[in-house]
Amino acid sequence: MIYEKEKVDGGYLVRYGEKFTRDGFNQFAWRMSFVKNKNFSPKYLDWVYPPDGIKEINILFSIGMDKDVNDVKEALSNVRHVVSDYDEIGKDMILQPYDYQKEIIKFILDNQGGLIVAPCGSGKSPMGIGTYLEAKKRGLINGPGAIIVKASLKVQWVKEVSKFAHLTANGIYTKADFCSNEYNRVKTRKNAIKKLDEKGSLTKKEKEKKAKKKREIIALYKEIDEKFKMQFQGYDLFVLNYETVNDPDVRETLKEAGIEYIMADEIHYIKNREAKRSLAMADLGDVKFKVGATATPVGKSPEDLFGIFRFVSPELFPKWSDFSKTYLKYSGGKFGRVSGVENKEQLTTKIQKNMIVKSKHDVSSQLPKLVVTPLVCRLSYKQQQVHTTLMEELDDLHEQEKMLKMRMRSEDELRSNEDYLKISAGILARQTFAQQLCITEELLLKSDSNMAKQYTTGDSSSKMELLKEKVGEILNEGEKVCIFSRYTSLQDILIDDFKRAYPNVGVAVIRGELSAQQRYIEAYDKFRDDDKYKILLCSNAGAEGLNLSKCKYLIEVERAESFGIQTQRYGRLERADSIHDTAFVYQLVCEESWDDIAQKIVDKKQKYDEELIRGM
């Protein structure tokens, strides 16, 4: 980091941020002398830079430090125009990007691609979407683009496109996934032909039947091709997961669609140069504009950089043999185990020209105190069918309840009626089953109710996959996370899952059955004060009274029962003594499920709070 900034009244103090060298400091001071937007503060005995001044500084230091004085002077002569150009970034977006996001977009535009290294919560969606929009507006690209993500975030990204820009997006699936019904019909006809073949000699009618089945199969394959290609027609952006990119038909159709832009989110997924997904992404390396984004570009070895830059900037390292010979240190002789990096400064200089890095401070200093972000997923096809059944049963029970109420003469008579009590219990049970279904079927299997088990399908939970991936990102960042759910049985499930996945990470738990002293031990002695404890699982018993000032992230597995409880949950992070400039809340939302109904309940109660209590 060449410079550091500290927020003060009226702007920012800016200081030299590198390990001190005379040449480095002189370069820093010389560039800072060109900044015009600044005010001297008697209070701090230093210059204070307003937001426009920070923009100038960002531009000044985006000019490579390896440039000689004449190159820098020439670039600086146009700095006012550049700042103006910088301000134009994001003007066509529905939600305006933050300054650090604009800076990243400008860097990627200037380099026509590159690697973004930014922490969890930095907002990679507006960066990727904004870069595509600006590149198209400036004529750098003309065709559609693709966003490559983890499978659990596919639905989320499609939603993000329409949230941030006036662009259209579509999730792309393989033929097998997108045309499963058609393939089942093909299978049925092939089985029918097989049975006829096993029979031996066929009658004329049977031969005609076999010929008809063959024609139907040909027609179905044509239908599959046409339906599959419809996914790629009429959209600005395609959203795919890495496993989908592995499919040759998908890659070929992307090329036919003329994509000119690809953003690979969580690009460390392709760091293994020999992995199938890495080779598949390299097959798309001829696309004009390529962007990668990650919080952790290097995992266990510097060789990870080759797989990433082979896609983002293939011209940097054309051959693996040259890369390994020049930059990798081996133990046990040549081609042994990679034990370190050779020519580190040379490698760093080479990749820095194609990479922009933002620290936690860079990000959080520009964000609001609390950032709430929904993360969207979906039920599987079978689970959607079960959810539909539950909703139909609920509608029927509500109708029965309505008719019964009409016949009762008083509230007391109604509440003592056995049929009414039975209907009420049925409604409550199915509401619970519907909510548990969109969290994980394990809750239904652990239920004391035998009826609950009839609503299981055996399919895995997309919400749990999303939760575990987000927790993994947070732990990789070295931060702590609090996870709220009203179901204590879910806490037991997560404790086992996290212990298997992260054996060296402590998990603290707060639930209603714990005494005040036990809660204190879990929340403070463990989660707050012991660095081993990174995860805190809370039922609603933890929604009040806890001070989680060291916790930066909170995840809501399901919506709070009320606006009040939701506010109390968020209040655990919004503390005056928080050590973080910004805290992040992630709401896990299962689309077209009980979560939608739960949100309407919370919104309704929030409206009451705003209208009746706050007079808004």
Side-chain angles (χ1 to χ4, degrees), residues 390-401 423:
L390 278 164
M391 293 301 102
E392 289 172 351
E393 291 175 0
L394 276 170
D395 287 343
D396 184 54
L397 286 169
H398 280 304
E399 187 61 30
Q400 292 179 43
E401 181 186 52
I423 291 168

Side-chain angles (χ1 to χ4, degrees), residues 214-274:
K214 286 184 175 181
R215 289 195 299 273
E216 288 174 349
I217 289 171
I218 292 169
L220 279 167
Y221 278 129
K222 185 178 178 182
E223 185 180 337
I224 287 168
D225 284 339
E226 290 174 352
K227 183 178 177 182
F228 169 73
K229 289 183 178 181
M230 283 293 291
Q231 297 180 99
F232 299 84
Q233 296 179 18
Y235 295 96
D236 298 303
L237 288 167
F238 309 122
V239 182
L240 309 89
N241 52 295
Y242 285 95
E243 292 75 16
T244 305
V245 178
N246 287 343
D247 186 276
D249 285 337
V250 169
R251 295 199 303 275
E252 191 58 36
T253 312
L254 281 173
K255 293 173 185 177
E256 290 173 3
I259 61 164
E260 296 186 346
Y261 173 90
I262 294 179
M263 179 187 180
D265 189 20
E266 308 294 352
I267 197 173
H268 53 269
Y269 265 44
I270 63 169
K271 63 188 179 185
N272 183 344
R273 64 187 175 86
E274 296 178 336

Side-chain angles (χ1 to χ4, degrees), residues 435 482-489 491 509-513 519 536-546 554-570 572 602:
Q435 184 167 71
C482 174
I483 301 170
F484 267 102
S485 174
R486 70 170 63 94
Y487 296 106
T488 55
S489 53
Q491 292 181 340
V509 180
I510 290 180
R511 54 178 70 171
E513 64 202 51
R519 293 186 196 188
L536 175 63
L537 302 177
C538 278
S539 70
N540 283 337
E544 295 183 4
L546 291 183
L554 184 150
I555 299 175
E556 291 186 289
V557 176
E558 79 286 320
R559 305 291 183 154
E561 298 96 311
S562 70
F563 173 63
I565 292 175
Q566 179 177 281
T567 303
Q568 288 288 350
R569 286 178 175 181
Y570 298 175
R572 300 316 95 217
V602 173

Side-chain angles (χ1 to χ4, degrees), residues 92-126:
D92 294 336
M93 294 178 71
I94 296 170
L95 296 177
Q96 297 295 295
Y98 294 105
D99 283 347
Y100 73 86
Q101 292 170 339
K102 288 183 179 181
E103 185 184 345
I104 287 170
I105 292 171
K106 185 178 187 318
F107 175 88
I108 298 297
L109 290 171
D110 289 345
N111 288 274
Q112 294 204 18
L115 178 64
I116 301 167
V117 180
C120 182
S122 57
K124 297 187 186 80
S125 301

Side-chain angles (χ1 to χ4, degrees), residues 218-354:
I218 292 169
L220 279 167
Y221 278 129
K222 185 178 178 182
E223 185 180 337
I224 287 168
D225 284 339
E226 290 174 352
K227 183 178 177 182
F228 169 73
K229 289 183 178 181
M230 283 293 291
Q231 297 180 99
F232 299 84
Q233 296 179 18
Y235 295 96
D236 298 303
L237 288 167
F238 309 122
V239 182
L240 309 89
N241 52 295
Y242 285 95
E243 292 75 16
T244 305
V245 178
N246 287 343
D247 186 276
D249 285 337
V250 169
R251 295 199 303 275
E252 191 58 36
T253 312
L254 281 173
K255 293 173 185 177
E256 290 173 3
I259 61 164
E260 296 186 346
Y261 173 90
I262 294 179
M263 179 187 180
D265 189 20
E266 308 294 352
I267 197 173
H268 53 269
Y269 265 44
I270 63 169
K271 63 188 179 185
N272 183 344
R273 64 187 175 86
E274 296 178 336
K276 188 176 180 182
R277 65 177 61 150
S278 182
L279 296 171
M281 290 294 288
D283 183 42
L284 296 172
D286 290 337
V287 169
K288 186 184 290 186
F289 215 107
K290 301 184 294 295
V291 183
T294 180
T296 53
V298 180
K300 297 179 180 178
S301 168
E303 66 183 306
D304 296 346
L305 292 171
F306 181 83
I308 291 172
F309 280 101
R310 178 172 59 182
F311 170 72
V312 173
S313 305
E315 69 283 355
L316 276 187
F317 310 115
K319 294 181 180 179
W320 164 250
S321 57
D322 292 341
F323 178 89
S324 61
K325 183 169 61 177
T326 308
Y327 300 115
L328 299 184
K329 186 185 294 183
Y330 292 93
S331 61
K334 191 177 181 182
F335 306 122
R337 183 176 59 84
V338 176
S339 60
V341 59
E342 294 275 14
N343 302 311
K344 183 178 178 181
E345 289 186 5
Q346 180 184 338
L347 177 60
T348 301
T349 300
K350 198 163 190 176
I351 64 175
Q352 276 184 343
K353 296 175 183 178
N354 294 268

Side-chain angles (χ1 to χ4, degrees), residues 114-142:
L115 178 64
I116 301 167
V117 180
C120 182
S122 57
K124 297 187 186 80
S125 301
M127 296 177 201
I129 296 163
T131 301
Y132 172 79
L133 194 64
E134 292 295 329
K136 201 163 187 181
K137 186 170 75 174
R138 298 168 190 223
L140 298 174
I141 56 175
N142 296 303

